[in-house]
Amino acid sequence: MVEVRNTERELHRLRVRLAVALLVVLGCFGVLGARFWWLQIYRYADFRAQAEDNRIALVPAPPSRGLIFDRNGVLLAENVSAYTLELRPMRNARLEETIDALSQIVEITPRDRRRFRRLLQDSRRSESVPLKVKLTDDEVARLAVQRFRFPGVEIRARLFRSYPLGDTAAHVLGYIGRISMDDLARLDDQNRLAQYAGSTHIGKVGVEQSYEEVLHGRVGADEVEVSAGGRVVRTLSRTPPVPGSNLVLSIDIRLQKLAEELFGDRRGALVAIEPSTGDVLALVSRPGYDPNLFVDGIDPQTWQSLNEHPDHPLLNRPLRGAYPPGSTYKPFMALAALTTGARTPSDTISDPGYFMLGTHRFRDSKPAGHGTVDLRKSIVVSSDTYYYKVAYEMGVDRIHDFMKPWGFGQLTGIDLENETTGILPSKEWKLRRYKQKWYPGETPSIGIGQGYNAFTILQLAHATATLANDGVVMKPHVVQSIEDPVTHERKRTVPKESYRIPIEPAHLHLVQEAMAEVNRVGTGRHAFAGAQYVAAGKTGTAQVIGIRQNERYDARRVSERHRDHSLFIAFAPLEAPRIAVAVIVENGGFGAQAAAPIVRKVIDYHLLGKLPEDMDEELLPGIVDEAELRDIPEDIEAQTIAVPEAARP
Amino acid sequence: MTLHDRVSLWRRVRRHVFVFDPVLTIALAMLVALSFVTMQSAALDYDGRMADHARNLFIAFVAMWIAANLPLQWMQRIALPAWIVGVALLVAVALFGDVAKGARRWLDLGFTRIQPSELMKIAMPMMLAWWFQKREGAHGWADFVVAGVLLAVPLALIVRQPDLGTAILVFAAGFYVIYLAGLGWKVMLGGLVAVLASMPVLWSLLHEYQRQRVLMMFDPSSDPLGRGFHVIQSTIAVGSGGVWGKGWMHGTQAHLEFIPERTTDFVFAVFSEEFGLVGNLVLLGIYLLIISRGLVIAAGGANVFARLLAGAITLILFTYAFVNIGMVSGILPVVGVPLPMMSYGGTAMLTLGIGMGFLMSIARQRRLVQT
């Protein structure tokens, strides 16, 4: 009996516990049910979005860069397809060993390694960095076979910028280089970072830089489905990239090359402008360099040799070299004197060969002086005394106020970066700069383009062009039009006049004709003998070091780098000028000696198509048939040839 | 042979063939169907996995059938030896076991490798049920203490391996028996309080990776690509399934490799992504059906052993289902617990099959006297 009751009680107790257990089970499943509700209903939209986020990725399709042509259609910058060997540092723990192993398969030079290391420092972590570029088909084949040994090593077909004419117009074109951290920061500030997804290069200097936004184009995107490991499963949609627009420069590349050749080994700068439009026909900086060196990433040694070369080939002289203009300043000084009324056309002085100020004797370059000199003669024979005097009488500030609208000491606004303003001295300037007041004794040298005057050749050419254009100022520019890559529709960038300088036509003509006389009977007569047109010009000789009061200048005794600079400005033809030029040959001696002959040959070519006798026609870039140019492919997509699978996260 | 003999032969055969409990069988059949369908999708890029899974299901079915045929006395008789063998094997593992992934869990027998702790999952409840059967009539506190020791010894060996996940499951299995046997409510409450109070101490005893798992449960975004990855991706899978799911074979999280372990521990994520809330509720419903039936069978068991064992097996099944689904949904830390009948894994399925078989056997051999 007890047993039965015990069993009953035990059964009952068991059943109670089973019931409790069932309740707990129901409770737990209830919790699960609540969780499901929360995940699948309440937060459904969120999770759905995350699932989509996971599986969909946007792969950028970088645009192809715009081409650059000269005004006649000669190709100056293009994109060439080539294979590169690239490493992804994030996935390569032992880079040196990987490189060593790769060098067993293809040749890897020390230069390649140096450049690779330098690029590595400046790259984003996830980027692949090129080790060897422009692989031959044979090299590609050998590498592709071995690629399984090298995860994180890729062979890519990339578009490379190529400058077929090498160092011609290097300073105008500039170059592109790999995007650095600084570039990224700058793009971010401009809100343009998104456009550079998938891009590796950006314009660094020159037109490549100043027109970067136009040349770059607009990035496209592939919407792809990816697995967790980043493997692309399929493409869902595609927004094609918009290729960059092409640039047509105002530069005449044959003129440019001619001018560069005329310099020879000498250092200097030349700027030629079309006065009526502001088109820059040539912008020469010597010595130059080959921009192709920079495209793959320049190796440190080459960079150093360019950077530290005593002749500074990387320096853009026309824009950044500030020189005293010397006697080329005199025509402008003459205009200043006429406009301010300090002189009339018929006023004369007696030029004994010096100008006395107190006890200081300002010497004329011709020790005996030029006798009786009026304004016209002062330009033709380049009388220093005349201009010492007129400068002193005008005072530095009146000179400053006249010269400023002509662009001296100002930015010309050319469409290249990093112009320098140079120095147009004034009392206020000196106070600001040296915390000293202006001494009247400093003014006479201003009149002959020495003293504190420091202008760029671009400014000088610009002023000359304005003079040729009768005082109508046209903003100088190197890009003439922007060409739509698909429709080939061209849009002119300029020109319209910036402003007009209020000046008497009679004064202008007087100075212009005096300058024509310079080339007929004056200091420019040797250079312009036999010219088939009338050209206006002015020689200039800028002192590099001061000559002591009683000493004479003897070029042979002074070391080359202390010799005077040779300058020349000109425009032609006198009636309706089509070209204005300013040249400096550093340490070239007298203006007539080195600079003027270059200008003569440049104008001969531009106006007459005539080449110097000793120059080979073949030297100049050929003009290509327009039809041939259009064969250049406009939308080359960078393809990846051999990429190993990405790892799982 | 007489007519009588032939009839009884058929009846004997029939008795052994039709041992299946109808409710359980239907529920299990539905579960197997879901398992098939889900594995097709989950194992899409896995060569041969589907075939292996089908094979495992078949083996489990056979094991279930054999177990369903075992008489109760037989089950009772092997309980103690099974437990002893289990402990011995665990000791052998501790001494000679293979180390894999920082844990010593496997024993190499030459022709195959076994994991004794898996065996313990069945042997433990059987052993304890046997114990309480032996002490039937008067369950004094001494009996419970002995039960506790019987539980603790193998448990300690498993914890040492270390295999916290299995240890917890073995403990649960044993605990359920002890609970059903009549462990005092106050004792359980006291035990719960003690565990809660000693949380800090327990926390410090955990290995780093175990702690990480708990932390990941609370904030998986703190390590989204590393340790938090499983949890984040599986909750995305579950959540993005919505009410109706993305459709069979259309799970993007699953097919794009965002769910690691998608054929094993995380197969529920695949199921949930493709069949949505509706599918989830159906699955819970099936499990609930099996559990309810199991508890009813336990209530009607022939003796103490039968009742305790049936109850424990049922609650163990519940534990697996709840912990796995909870883990995949992100409300429990990640532990290696498979989803019954759905996850790929031969041993677990075998154990489950045997367990279900025992339930059916117990169901058939009901008490002769009803109260």
Side-chain angles (χ1 to χ4, degrees), chain B residues 119-140:
Chain B
L119 180 62
M120 261 304 155
K121 287 179 185 170
I122 291 219
M124 179 57 70
M126 286 177 76
M127 173 64 191
L128 289 176
W130 171 88
W131 169 251
F132 283 109
Q133 169 70 45
K134 214 165 169 342
R135 309 294 297 162
E136 181 182 14
H139 290 159

Side-chain angles (χ1 to χ4, degrees), chain B residues 55-65 341 349-350 353-354:
Chain B
R55 179 203 66 197
N56 291 340
L57 283 169
F58 179 71
I59 292 175
F61 171 77
V62 170
M64 183 174 80
W65 180 65
M341 267 321 166
M349 218 173 285
L350 182 67
I354 293 173

Side-chain angles (χ1 to χ4, degrees), chain A residues 119-138:
Chain A
L119 289 175
L120 201 56
Q121 283 167 3
D122 218 14
S123 296
R124 288 174 274 197
R125 286 252 65 202
S126 55
E127 249 178 51
S128 56
V129 178
L131 173 62
K132 188 174 164 67
V133 300
K134 307 216 174 89
L135 300 171
T136 65
D137 287 338
D138 182 57

